[in-house]
Every structure is written in structure tokens, then in C-alpha cells.
Amino acid sequence: MNSLKPLVLATALAVASLAASAASNPGDRVYTADQNTNTVSVIDPNTNALLGQIKLGNQRPDVLSPIYKGEINVHGLGFSPDHRTLVVIANGSNSVTFIDTATNKVKGVTYVGRSPHEAFFTRDGKEVWAVVRGENYISVIDAKTFKEKRRIETAPGPGMVLFTPDGGRAFVVSSFTPEVAVVDTRSYKIVKRIPVVSPFSPFLQFTPDGKEVWMGHKDVGKVTRIDVKSMVVSGVIDTGFITNHLGFAKTARGTLAYVAVGGENVVKVYTTDGEAKLLNTIATGALPHGVWPSDDGTRMYVGLENGDAVQVIDTASDKVIAAVPIGQAPQALVYVSNAVPSGAGTDNLKPLANAAPVNIPLMPDSGDAKGFVVARNFGVVDALELFLYKLKPETVYSIYVGDQKVPVASFKTNPMGMADGTAIGEIREVTRLQSEANPKTASIVVIEGDGPMDAAKVVLRSPM
């Protein structure tokens, strides 16, 4: 490769507070699961400030040693009914980690099957149900002993589980199967399988009154509504490209749904009437992913997967009022009220160590192809995280940076024409400093095939 100049990471978001904080209690906390840095970021919602991070593993790529013991791909979050325990999923190391919210210390770790995704406590707090997405079951874990006590077989790829307000049933979405499974929590048996519009749903949430479940479909950009009592689909909303998580807030305008649409870098606001109506579209930073409301519904917290930050939305005005830098590639996000009953709650936290990322859109030469790149510094090396959509299915594409003669990576799309992955190495010319006042971004192109660079085969390129 060419000799490369140091990577300059432009600050995408500054910590700013444009309005008074919500009426939070001193012990309230917002947590994010940071996939690249293998941390949990801890935010005080009273000040919209990062208090520090719980380190569960090393930052990528320092996770490849055969004697590495930390967690890999910190991804999912849940919490106990008494708000004293945070449960954290790391899908690369197949772990469910239990953390004391008052001290930020790990209380126990349970290792389950291949690639768990999310976990949540039962309503009585006695069990944790962890969906094992890389297989076909839910791991039921004793919340006191941290031991797996049984497995509930599901269709392949369970994506997330949440429990009805009375605790009697669990709704389970899937990442590989177009259905929602409803499980009786006393018998541990599936009592209903509800067909839905697509096979890929990473998230679900109950409306505040418990009458409906809303689930996002990341692959087709939709949200499905399910009536909890009848267990049938009551509606489908076209929300947009890369629909991620969603949250509900009771406001003066009624109960509203805030849906993160990652491919458009927005949060869309819908009514929860019989026919949902789009009320507002709120511009956010790069790739909004995790969403959770404050308990009083006055704030909506949004994790930016490609922005390495949390943005705070005031639900009265639908304005972003603050942004907080956090760990790299946040996935799940939860708001936990009274997580710290007394004291500062900063024990065992580590300071933020990562720099801000650089986001680069990819534009099609023709057609409907979409894509974007995130450049991140990993210390001695750098990473390009590439996301490609609406290309030819099951086809190889190669990515070239600057004047390099060989591609930095090649990916094969899935049957839906999608691909994503990470190239790690000395690729710092993605952003290089020409002068302190005028940083220049190197060109990035995506070509069809794995042969040499051919301008006639370019399908996507970065802005000139």
C-alpha cells in the first residue's frame, strides 16, 4: 500500500444542551452497548454528560488472540424490574453479563449458544430470557445463580423477547423467520405463531398501555403492529430504509411512536391511532439505531451507530437538544430510572478513549444502489466499515480507496443485494490532512467483480 498520512477524524457531534433537562432523578442512567469498543457507556440524563464506560473487553481488532478473555461485540441490553441489574449481551463471545448498576461491577457472566442478540428479565425478576439468534432457542437463565435452567425452542434466529405487563406471555421476534412467537411464561410453550411481513426484525416494544406490540423490520423498512389480546397483526407502516429501534412517549399530542430510520438518518414520529399518521421527521446524526424514552416521556434517547454518540430529543418540540459522545458503534440503548440509589455512581467507570468517526456517503453512478462508509481509528490501525444495499444479489463487489491499485476489501452480497463488513489495516488516507483548515477526503469507489479497477464497472462512489 502507499505510505499513508495520519487519519484526521472530524468531530461529528459536540456535546451541547439547548434546553433544560427532563425531570430526571439523580440516579437515572442511560446505557448504550458499544459494539466496536466492547464497552457500555453510562450517561447521566440530568446533565446529558457521559460519566464513563464499563469496559467488558478490548477494542477491535485487539480481540483475536487465542488467550483473549474479554467479551466481543457488546450488542444488547436489558435491565431488572428493580433497576438494580443491567444485563449485557456480547454476540461475538456468546455471553450474558450481569452488572450492578450502583457500582458498575460485573456480578456474573453466563455463556450461552451461538450469537445471542438481546436479553430481558421476566416481570418477576427471577429469570433472564436471552434469545440465541445464531441458533433456534431462548436460553432461560436463573437471575440469582446466573445458570441456564432450560431452553425454549423457537424458529431459527430469535431476535428479541419482551414480556406482557402481567408477565404471562412473552413476544419473540425473529431475525431469520417471518413470524412472531408468543410464549406462555408458565409452561414455557409457544402458544401462537404470528406471520409477519419479513423475516428480519431485531427489536420490539409494547405501547405504554400494553395493548399493542410494535416491531421493526430492518430489511424492508417497515413496522408491524400486533394486537396483544387477539395476537393478530393490526397494521403495517412503511417507515423507511434500515428501520431500527423505536420508543413510545406520552405527550400533549397523545401517545407517539419514535422510529429510528437508519438509512435516512432520521427519527420519524407517528401517532398510535388505529391508522398511524406520520407527524414529524427529525434529522439526526449518522445511522440512528437504539431508541428508549425517559420514564416521563419528555425525552427520547437515540444512539447513533455510525456517529458514536447519543442524541436527546425533546418530545414536546421534536427537537434534538443535546448530543453526547460515547463508545464506538452503539447498538442497543436503555433508560433505567433510579439505577443508582445513592452516591455519584461513577465507581469502576473508565474514561472515553475513542475519537470521533468520519462518515462518507456512497452515491450511485446509476440505478438504485445505496451505500455508506464509516472510517474509525483503532489506535495503531484503522477501519473502514462498509454498508452496501440494493446491488445485484449474490454478486462480488470490490472497494478501492484513493490511488491504491488493489481493493481494500471485497464482499459478496446476500440474496437481497446487501453486504457489510470491515476492512482493517493502514488505510489512513481515507481522510488525510492537506492543511489544518482544509482536510481532504480520499475517493472511494465500489466496482462490480473482484478484478482490477475498471471505471466502467463502478456502481458507487464517494462525493467528489
Side-chain angles (χ1 to χ4, degrees), residues 341-361:
S342 63
T346 55
D347 293 346
N348 303 301
L349 295 180
K350 306 296 182 184
L352 181 70
N354 51 278
V358 173
N359 283 270
I360 305 165

Side-chain angles (χ1 to χ4, degrees), residues 67-367:
I67 58 172
Y68 173 77
K69 293 184 66 176
E71 308 309 335
I72 303 173
N73 284 7
V74 171
H75 193 97
L77 293 174
F79 54 90
S80 59
D82 64 3
H83 294 192
R84 295 294 184 266
T85 303
L86 188 72
V87 60
V88 185
I89 296 291
N91 57 39
S93 49
N94 304 331
S95 62
V96 183
T97 300
F98 295 80
I99 296 175
D100 183 279
T101 56
T103 64
N104 303 304
K105 290 186 68 174
V106 173
K107 300 193 293 184
V109 182
T110 306
Y111 289 96
V112 295
R114 181 183 180 276
S115 195
H117 184 243
E118 295 280 359
F120 229 88
F121 282 80
T122 52
R123 292 289 184 175
D124 60 11
K126 294 180 179 179
E127 296 175 345
V128 168
W129 290 25
V131 294
V132 182
R133 186 163 71 169
E135 300 190 52
N136 64 335
Y137 63 87
I138 300 167
S139 175
V140 179
I141 301 166
D142 187 290
K144 287 186 177 180
T145 65
F146 313 127
K147 302 294 185 183
E148 184 181 77
K149 54 190 290 189
R150 68 171 68 233
R151 294 179 176 183
I152 304 169
E153 186 174 340
T154 66
M160 184 175 176
V161 58
L162 280 181
F163 301 89
T164 54
D166 65 4
R169 285 175 286 170
F171 281 70
V172 187
V173 297
S174 178
S175 295
F176 303 140
T177 307
E179 71 170 40
V180 173
V182 184
V183 182
D184 179 273
T185 58
R186 289 169 287 273
S187 66
Y188 300 97
K189 301 294 185 183
I190 294 177
V191 296
K192 184 74 178 287
R193 296 180 189 268
I194 307 169
V196 290
V197 70
S198 93
F200 186 15
S201 177
F203 190 81
L204 77 159
Q205 193 61 268
F206 287 93
T207 53
D209 60 12
K211 293 181 178 180
E212 286 190 337
V213 164
W214 288 38
M215 56 185 287
H217 299 285
K218 192 168 186 174
D219 54 343
V220 295
K222 298 178 186 293
V223 165
T224 291
R225 303 170 65 175
I226 296 174
D227 182 273
V228 169
K229 184 176 181 180
S230 64
M231 295 184 287
V232 298
V233 172
S234 57
V236 178
I237 310 166
D238 290 319
T239 45
F241 183 51
I242 313 180
T243 291
N244 276 313
H245 297 191
L246 59 94
F248 296 99
K250 291 183 176 180
T251 75
R253 296 171 289 169
T255 299
L256 305 179
Y258 288 73
V259 182
V261 182
E264 300 178 20
N265 292 337
V266 299
V267 168
K268 295 185 178 180
V269 186
Y270 292 89
T271 67
T272 55
D273 303 331
E275 183 177 345
K277 299 178 181 64
L278 178 64
L279 290 185
N280 215 336
T281 298
I282 306 167
T284 66
L287 195 61
H289 192 137
V291 177
W292 207 277
S294 60
D295 281 10
D296 63 6
T298 63
R299 300 290 185 264
M300 195 66 62
Y301 295 82
V302 182
L304 304 179
E305 181 177 349
N306 287 351
D308 299 350
V310 167
Q311 288 186 315
V312 186
I313 295 172
D314 171 49
T315 59
S317 64
D318 285 346
K319 302 293 186 184
V320 174
I321 61 169
V324 187
I326 57 169
Q328 289 183 343
Q331 306 292 308
L333 178 152
V334 292
Y335 183 106
V336 184
S337 59
N338 200 28
V340 180
S342 63
T346 55
D347 293 346
N348 303 301
L349 295 180
K350 306 296 182 184
L352 181 70
N354 51 278
V358 173
N359 283 270
I360 305 165
L362 298 177
M363 313 303 292
D365 264 23
S366 62

